[in-house]
PDB file of all heavy atoms in Angstrom:
ATOM      1  N   SER A1497      -6.099  34.765  21.044  1.00 96.00           N
ATOM      2  CA  SER A1497      -7.162  34.694  21.998  1.00 96.00           C
ATOM      3  C   SER A1497      -8.348  34.043  21.367  1.00 96.00           C
ATOM      4  O   SER A1497      -9.052  33.194  21.941  1.00 96.00           O
ATOM      5  CB  SER A1497      -7.470  36.060  22.486  1.00 96.00           C
ATOM      6  OG  SER A1497      -6.406  36.587  23.109  1.00 96.00           O
ATOM      7  N   ALA A1498      -8.618  34.353  20.125  1.00 96.00           N
ATOM      8  CA  ALA A1498      -9.883  33.926  19.459  1.00 96.00           C
ATOM      9  C   ALA A1498      -9.796  32.402  19.160  1.00 96.00           C
ATOM     10  O   ALA A1498     -10.804  31.743  18.969  1.00 96.00           O
ATOM     11  CB  ALA A1498     -10.051  34.618  18.099  1.00 96.00           C
ATOM     12  N   THR A1499      -8.513  31.863  19.088  1.00 95.00           N
ATOM     13  CA  THR A1499      -8.391  30.395  18.906  1.00 95.00           C
ATOM     14  C   THR A1499      -8.769  29.615  20.164  1.00 95.00           C
ATOM     15  O   THR A1499      -8.964  28.395  20.098  1.00 95.00           O
ATOM     16  CB  THR A1499      -7.031  30.045  18.462  1.00 95.00           C
ATOM     17  OG1 THR A1499      -6.128  30.132  19.528  1.00 95.00           O
ATOM     18  CG2 THR A1499      -6.596  30.742  17.219  1.00 95.00           C
ATOM     19  N   GLY A1500      -8.774  30.249  21.337  1.00 92.00           N
ATOM     20  CA  GLY A1500      -9.125  29.531  22.551  1.00 92.00           C
ATOM     21  C   GLY A1500      -8.010  28.882  23.188  1.00 92.00           C
ATOM     22  O   GLY A1500      -8.185  28.154  24.276  1.00 92.00           O
ATOM     23  N   ILE A1501      -6.766  29.010  22.769  1.00 92.00           N
ATOM     24  CA  ILE A1501      -5.676  28.313  23.420  1.00 92.00           C
ATOM     25  C   ILE A1501      -5.079  29.263  24.568  1.00 92.00           C
ATOM     26  O   ILE A1501      -5.343  30.442  24.586  1.00 92.00           O
ATOM     27  CB  ILE A1501      -4.517  27.995  22.477  1.00 92.00           C
ATOM     28  CG1 ILE A1501      -3.818  29.338  21.896  1.00 92.00           C
ATOM     29  CG2 ILE A1501      -5.020  27.179  21.316  1.00 92.00           C
ATOM     30  CD1 ILE A1501      -2.575  29.074  21.107  1.00 92.00           C
ATOM     31  N   GLY A1502      -4.398  28.614  25.455  1.00 93.00           N
ATOM     32  CA  GLY A1502      -3.647  29.400  26.524  1.00 93.00           C
ATOM     33  C   GLY A1502      -2.288  29.710  25.959  1.00 93.00           C
ATOM     34  O   GLY A1502      -1.677  28.861  25.359  1.00 93.00           O
ATOM     35  N   PHE A1503      -1.807  30.920  26.175  1.00 95.00           N
ATOM     36  CA  PHE A1503      -0.531  31.286  25.565  1.00 95.00           C
ATOM     37  C   PHE A1503       0.124  32.427  26.352  1.00 95.00           C
ATOM     38  O   PHE A1503      -0.530  33.111  27.127  1.00 95.00           O
ATOM     39  CB  PHE A1503      -0.629  31.669  24.103  1.00 95.00           C
ATOM     40  CG  PHE A1503      -1.553  32.952  23.885  1.00 95.00           C
ATOM     41  CD1 PHE A1503      -0.995  34.153  23.871  1.00 95.00           C
ATOM     42  CD2 PHE A1503      -2.893  32.726  23.662  1.00 95.00           C
ATOM     43  CE1 PHE A1503      -1.789  35.328  23.623  1.00 95.00           C
ATOM     44  CE2 PHE A1503      -3.743  33.874  23.558  1.00 95.00           C
ATOM     45  CZ  PHE A1503      -3.219  35.129  23.463  1.00 95.00           C
ATOM     46  N   ALA A1504       1.411  32.630  26.147  1.00 95.00           N
ATOM     47  CA  ALA A1504       2.113  33.703  26.787  1.00 95.00           C
ATOM     48  C   ALA A1504       2.987  34.444  25.746  1.00 95.00           C
ATOM     49  O   ALA A1504       3.619  33.782  24.873  1.00 95.00           O
ATOM     50  CB  ALA A1504       3.085  33.184  27.831  1.00 95.00           C
ATOM     51  N   ILE A1505       2.863  35.783  25.706  1.00 96.00           N
ATOM     52  CA  ILE A1505       3.688  36.520  24.727  1.00 96.00           C
ATOM     53  C   ILE A1505       4.895  37.058  25.405  1.00 96.00           C
ATOM     54  O   ILE A1505       4.860  37.618  26.462  1.00 96.00           O
ATOM     55  CB  ILE A1505       2.799  37.700  24.222  1.00 96.00           C
ATOM     56  CG1 ILE A1505       1.482  37.231  23.609  1.00 96.00           C
ATOM     57  CG2 ILE A1505       3.581  38.573  23.248  1.00 96.00           C
ATOM     58  CD1 ILE A1505       0.568  38.410  23.194  1.00 96.00           C
ATOM     59  N   HIS A1506       5.958  36.834  24.730  1.00 95.00           N
ATOM     60  CA  HIS A1506       7.388  37.359  25.195  1.00 95.00           C
ATOM     61  C   HIS A1506       7.812  38.428  24.097  1.00 95.00           C
ATOM     62  O   HIS A1506       7.849  38.149  23.035  1.00 95.00           O
ATOM     63  CB  HIS A1506       8.361  36.342  25.281  1.00 95.00           C
ATOM     64  CG  HIS A1506       8.135  35.395  26.415  1.00 95.00           C
ATOM     65  ND1 HIS A1506       9.165  34.936  27.242  1.00 95.00           N
ATOM     66  CD2 HIS A1506       6.956  34.847  26.848  1.00 95.00           C
ATOM     67  CE1 HIS A1506       8.683  34.061  28.140  1.00 95.00           C
ATOM     68  NE2 HIS A1506       7.321  34.074  27.946  1.00 95.00           N
ATOM     69  N   VAL A1507       8.015  39.609  24.668  1.00 96.00           N
ATOM     70  CA  VAL A1507       8.420  40.707  23.793  1.00 96.00           C
ATOM     71  C   VAL A1507       9.913  41.102  24.170  1.00 96.00           C
ATOM     72  O   VAL A1507      10.117  41.323  25.340  1.00 96.00           O
ATOM     73  CB  VAL A1507       7.483  41.947  23.852  1.00 96.00           C
ATOM     74  CG1 VAL A1507       7.919  43.013  22.864  1.00 96.00           C
ATOM     75  CG2 VAL A1507       6.064  41.513  23.701  1.00 96.00           C
ATOM     76  N   GLY A1508      10.652  41.247  23.081  1.00 94.00           N
ATOM     77  CA  GLY A1508      12.043  41.753  23.342  1.00 94.00           C
ATOM     78  C   GLY A1508      12.470  42.695  22.303  1.00 94.00           C
ATOM     79  O   GLY A1508      11.630  43.220  21.511  1.00 94.00           O
ATOM     80  N   HIS A1509      13.763  43.126  22.362  1.00 93.00           N
ATOM     81  CA  HIS A1509      14.232  44.072  21.310  1.00 93.00           C
ATOM     82  C   HIS A1509      15.714  43.837  21.144  1.00 93.00           C
ATOM     83  O   HIS A1509      16.434  43.571  22.146  1.00 93.00           O
ATOM     84  CB  HIS A1509      14.104  45.468  21.935  1.00 93.00           C
ATOM     85  CG  HIS A1509      14.198  46.546  20.816  1.00 93.00           C
ATOM     86  ND1 HIS A1509      15.406  46.894  20.306  1.00 93.00           N
ATOM     87  CD2 HIS A1509      13.247  47.275  20.199  1.00 93.00           C
ATOM     88  CE1 HIS A1509      15.130  47.848  19.401  1.00 93.00           C
ATOM     89  NE2 HIS A1509      13.811  48.116  19.297  1.00 93.00           N
ATOM     90  N   LEU A1510      16.152  43.675  19.845  1.00 90.00           N
ATOM     91  CA  LEU A1510      17.561  43.304  19.693  1.00 90.00           C
ATOM     92  C   LEU A1510      18.488  44.361  20.161  1.00 90.00           C
ATOM     93  O   LEU A1510      19.678  44.093  20.299  1.00 90.00           O
ATOM     94  CB  LEU A1510      17.663  43.019  18.187  1.00 90.00           C
ATOM     95  CG  LEU A1510      16.829  41.828  17.673  1.00 90.00           C
ATOM     96  CD1 LEU A1510      17.153  41.491  16.211  1.00 90.00           C
ATOM     97  CD2 LEU A1510      17.195  40.593  18.511  1.00 90.00           C
TER      98      LEU A1510
END
Side-chain angles (χ1 to χ4, degrees):
Chain A
S1497 298
T1499 67
I1501 67 170
F1503 61 91
I1505 302 177
H1506 289 221
V1507 184
H1509 198 285
L1510 297 184

